[in-house]
Structure formats: structure tokens, C-alpha cells
Amino acid sequence: MICIKNGTLHTAVSKETFIADILIDGGKIVKIGKGLSADGAEVIDATGLQVYPGFVEAHCHIGLDGYGIGYEGHDYNELNDPVTPQVQAIDGINPFDPCMKMAAKAGVTCFATGPGSSNSIGGTFAAIKPVGTRVDNMIVKFPIAMKCAFGENPKRCYQKQGISSRMTNAAKIREALNKAKVYKAKIEAAGDDASKLPAYDQKSEALIPVLNREIPLKAHAHQANDIFTAIRIAKEFGVGLTLEHVTEGHMIVDELAKENLPLAVGPTFGHASKFELQNKTWETPGILAKAGCHVSIITDAPVTPLHYLPLCAGLAIKAGMDEYDALRAVTINPAEHIGIADRVGSLEEGKDADVVIVDGCPFDVTGVIKHVLINGEEV
């Protein structure tokens, strides 16, 4: 049992901060209040310190793109086929990737990781915590989404294999979803008669949870036209959708506000390395949030190192984003974006005891992280 005493709490579900204690037991937050009894508990004195929920990243590739390594650690894109819904992030994640510890020490206590954006359809993402030696024990939820990609990357990676335009890439995604739709209908028509079942199709089987709206499409889209193509296809098939990157989101803010979809904005830190990033700006998350959109800030690590997620929130604040909106964009919003807000993303009773205690502000380079707890254990 641990009791965090007299910290200034930033819950991420209330704009107001307040001084209180947090009682932790069994890896969960069991009580938040003033003057809680600490009998038998390990006490962390947070007097004068700021207490936050663990930070959450909605979209990265950590554990699949090795640190300080080349091809041997390249496990985030399957480059033999542009349509690979059957591949699963958990089969490639390396718990010993040094980025895990770097993220944890920076207060990033949970993140979504999975396939990259080379493929039209890339496979399933997982939500994990950066502690442990066996991925099966690190999972918060799997699968959380099916990756698909629009824009430059599939064109560039598969130009010699039949994808030379945005039109063809979209057609590949439609083809896979239509095949899965027919496959699913045949399975349902067969009922309990195994002799009437269609021949097993691994790709179509993997897409059934998408068609059933059990998991959404997780659509890589930077340019405005690609964002709208992703929305168009999701509506055609009646499937769930989250939008990843949304680089030109500030240019179509009114339309995105109407759609009311989860938006993961970034990576913004760094060079515009391709044409579809030419309009990126730190103002984007603030503009979208002000319009009422559901905004998360992402690093897309390792594009931006995951341990700089709090700094990215700070840079968005510097560009005009409301500080409370920025806090939510790296806590409760990404938790909702990836479907795990019942466990992480805010300081609330009953949730996982993922807590960050800071001397100063974590979004400022001068803020010093004093304690990070994941599942109630200090890391």
C-alpha cells in the first residue's frame, strides 16, 4: 500500500486543481481525499509537488522499431504485401527495447503501439505499459485497432507492386473490406453446418472485428484529402474510425468538428521530411481542441522519442493551446482514443495507479519528475 500525501492534483477530468492524498493498493487508486490515513502504507510526501495521471500515447511504434539497431530490429512494417490485416503487433514487440524504460522514467506509462504506415492495411495495434519482460503481461488491451494508411507511404513503398496512386491505395482497402464482408456473410449463412463454411481466409478473418465495430480502423492520414478519403471509406462500410497524424487538420477544422472523430495529432516536432508534412504546425492541436474536437497529441515514436511526449504538450501550449486541453491531450483523450479510459488517463478512484509526481510543470523543460508509478509500483 502507498499513500501519496499533500500533492497538488491535476486529475485530467477536472480543470480545477486541489491538494489531496491518493491511497493506492493492489495496483489501483482506492481513495482520493484530504487527510487519508496512511497507517501501514509507504508514504510519498508530495507537499509542494504536482501530481498527474501517467501520460498516454495514442500512436507509436515502440518495441517494434528497435533503438540503436538496423534491419534486425525493424519489425513495424511487413514489406512483402501491401494488405496484411492478419499481422499482430504483439508478435513483434520487444519488451527489452531501451525506449520502454526511457518512456517510463519520463512519465509515459501507457501507449498504443503497432504496425507502421507502409501498407494499405498494416495489422492490429496493442495498448501496453512499458514495464515487464513478457509482452503478454504488459498488455492493457489487444487488439485496439486495425491500422490502415493513406497518402504517400503506401505509394512510395509499393510503387513497383501495383500502388502508384492514392486511388489504387483506397481501392486496395475497399477490396479487402469487401472480401471480408462477403466472407463474414458466408460464415453467418453456414451457421452450425461446417460443410458450408467458406475456405479459411486469414486476411478476411482478421477484418471481421472491424466490420463488427469491435475495433476501429486506425487511419494514417496527413493531408486533408487523405483524411476525407479515410472518413468516406469508413462510412461506406459502417465501421469505426480514428484519425492518426491529422497534419492538415487546422485547414479543415470545421469539417472535422462536424465528424466528431478521435484525432491524434503529430508528430509535429522535427523536419517536414515529405510533401504531405509541409503544412504541419504546433498550432494544429490547439485549433482543433478550441473547435470542440477530441484531440490527442502524439510523438509517433520513434519519429519523435516517446519520452518527449510531455514536451510536445508544452510546445502546443506555447503555440496557443489551452493548458488544460493540452493535459487532456496526453492523458484522458488518448486513453479514450485507444479504448482504455476505464483503466488509465486520469486520477480517479478505481483506475490503475499510474501516477507522475513532478517538481514544477512536466510540460516545461525545467520540470523535474520525482516519482513515476505504474500499476502502483515505482519505476
Side-chain angles (χ1 to χ4, degrees), residues 76-89:
Y76 59 96
N77 280 316
E78 174 50 60
L79 296 175
N80 293 305
D81 184 348
V83 179
T84 57
Q86 73 278 14
V87 305
Q88 303 181 350

Side-chain angles (χ1 to χ4, degrees), residues 90-120:
I90 57 172
D91 295 326
I93 293 170
N94 175 18
F96 296 94
D97 183 342
C99 294
M100 298 281 183
K101 186 175 289 187
M102 293 178 190
K105 292 176 73 173
V108 182
T109 59
C110 189
F111 53 86
T113 189
S117 52
S118 292
N119 298 43
S120 304

Side-chain angles (χ1 to χ4, degrees), residues 158-169:
Y158 288 98
Q159 189 171 9
K160 294 181 180 179
Q161 292 165 265
I163 299 178
S164 61
S165 73
R166 281 174 162 81
M167 296 180 294
T168 300
N169 183 62

Side-chain angles (χ1 to χ4, degrees), residues 276-299:
E276 63 188 12
L277 301 181
Q278 63 175 327
N279 291 311
K280 73 174 181 173
T281 168
W282 284 109
E283 295 178 3
T284 304
I287 291 170
L288 291 170
K290 188 175 182 179
C293 295
H294 188 281
V295 177
S296 301
I297 293 171
I298 61 170
T299 65

Side-chain angles (χ1 to χ4, degrees), residues 1-2 22-31 351 353 375-376:
M1 188 181 299
I2 295 174
I22 302 176
L23 188 63
I24 295 167
D25 194 20
K28 299 286 184 178
I29 297 173
V30 296
K31 189 72 175 175
K351 286 199 173 183
N375 298 323

Side-chain angles (χ1 to χ4, degrees), residues 91-268:
D91 295 326
I93 293 170
N94 175 18
F96 296 94
D97 183 342
C99 294
M100 298 281 183
K101 186 175 289 187
M102 293 178 190
K105 292 176 73 173
V108 182
T109 59
C110 189
F111 53 86
T113 189
S117 52
S118 292
N119 298 43
S120 304
I121 301 180
T124 46
F125 264 63
I128 68 171
K129 296 192 181 183
V131 286
T133 58
R134 181 174 179 172
V135 71
D136 309 76
N137 300 328
M138 300 162 67
I139 293 170
V140 177
K141 185 179 179 181
F142 175 80
I144 58 168
M146 177 65 69
K147 181 69 178 290
C148 62
F150 298 85
E152 293 181 30
N153 289 6
K155 283 179 59 178
R156 182 177 64 253
C157 294
Y158 288 98
Q159 189 171 9
K160 294 181 180 179
Q161 292 165 265
I163 299 178
S164 61
S165 73
R166 281 174 162 81
M167 296 180 294
T168 300
N169 183 62
K172 288 281 186 185
I173 295 171
R174 284 192 179 94
E175 179 184 38
L177 288 169
N178 272 314
K179 282 183 176 180
K181 191 175 179 181
V182 171
Y183 180 79
K184 177 175 177 281
K186 288 180 178 180
I187 290 174
E188 291 170 350
D192 295 329
D193 188 346
S195 67
K196 294 181 179 179
L197 287 172
Y200 177 69
D201 182 337
Q202 190 180 30
K203 293 183 179 182
S204 293
E205 192 78 29
L207 286 168
I208 288 176
V210 176
L211 296 175
N212 288 344
R213 294 186 68 92
E214 294 165 13
I215 59 172
L217 289 175
K218 191 173 182 68
H220 164 110
H222 288 282
Q223 283 187 187
N225 56 334
D226 295 322
I227 291 168
F228 290 134
T229 299
I231 294 171
R232 187 180 313 117
I233 290 175
K235 288 182 175 180
E236 285 175 21
F237 290 90
V239 300
L241 178 71
T242 65
L243 291 168
E244 319 296 311
H245 307 309
V246 199
T247 300
E248 295 187 351
H250 59 285
M251 299 163 61
I252 52 171
V253 58
D254 292 342
E255 293 294 331
L256 290 177
K258 292 175 191 175
E259 296 295 340
N260 194 32
L261 292 166
L263 310 174
V265 181
T268 312

